[in-house]
Amino acid sequence: MIYVRLLLNALLAVGRTSITNTILIDGSNLIYQGGKNGIPRNRDVAAKKLENLEANVVICFDGVSKKQRNLADIGGVNVDELDRMSTTVETRGANNLSFVVTGWEESADDYIVKALKETDTASKVYVVTADRELRRRARNFRRNVVSVNPVKFWKKYRPRLSMMKSTYENNGLQKK
């Protein structure tokens, strides 16, 4: 929990205090939509396209599958292997994108809910996911959270936050 607070404080401390939007993205859910509407199917490519958004962005991926997590619960995974599977957070772009891969101890959904708890209550928070359970958990914690479908985010929100008019008008070109 402390690393989430430190991460969000660091994002705000890098000269981007005027940014009031925080976007928490279920990365696996986003790239699952890949191939449609220009969404990349690769984690790094998707993250690269999110680096220059005018918002604090956290894109979070599951680093351990549910099957691996279940095996760990019943003792079917080597303890040394579990120790190597810890959550990693990497800052990318203009210091406003955090690329997170969760470890064995938590899912990406759990990380997103923890990050949501640590966000400033004055900021506008978007949770990008098609996962109904994650949307429900986010709304139960914070009523003013906005849940956005990944395809809608990619087509509508991302171009606006990139200072592009729309993906149709500029064919995905960089900021003007």
Side-chain angles (χ1 to χ4, degrees), residues 26-165:
D26 181 345
S28 299
N29 203 272
L30 177 71
I31 63 171
Y32 179 76
Q33 305 291 328
K36 304 174 192 171
N37 304 304
I39 301 173
R41 292 195 63 93
N42 179 288
R43 290 178 177 188
D44 292 316
V45 174
K48 184 75 175 160
K49 292 185 180 250
L50 297 169
E51 284 182 357
N52 295 314
L53 298 186
E54 292 298 318
N56 292 319
V57 180
V58 178
I59 186 166
C60 190
F61 295 94
D62 286 307
V64 179
S65 71
K66 287 181 183 177
K67 181 178 178 182
Q68 288 173 307
R69 205 171 272 114
N70 291 339
L71 284 173
D73 290 341
I74 61 171
V77 174
N78 184 329
V79 175
D80 293 333
E81 187 178 335
L82 289 178
D83 289 340
R84 288 192 303 270
M85 296 182 205
S86 60
T87 299
T88 60
V89 179
E90 179 184 330
T91 303
R92 295 186 179 185
N95 296 320
N96 66 326
L97 175 78
S98 295
F99 185 90
V100 179
V101 178
T102 61
W104 71 273
E105 71 281 357
E106 67 184 337
S107 69
D109 292 0
D110 293 339
Y111 187 93
I112 289 168
V113 171
K114 275 201 264 186
L116 180 62
K117 291 176 183 177
E118 298 296 326
T119 58
D120 181 11
T121 56
S123 69
K124 185 143 190 162
V125 179
Y126 299 89
V127 174
V128 178
T129 186
D131 181 337
R132 289 182 189 152
E133 178 62 19
L134 178 55
R135 289 192 311 239
R136 184 194 61 76
R137 288 174 66 192
R139 276 193 309 269
N140 284 345
F141 177 75
R142 188 169 168 171
R143 293 283 180 210
N144 63 345
V145 70
V146 178
S147 295
V148 182
N149 177 280
V151 174
K152 185 175 184 178
F153 168 78
W154 200 262
K155 288 177 69 177
K156 181 179 176 184
Y157 289 80
R158 186 186 64 89
R160 290 179 183 175
L161 291 166
S162 299
M163 303 310 209
M164 294 187 272
K165 290 184 179 176

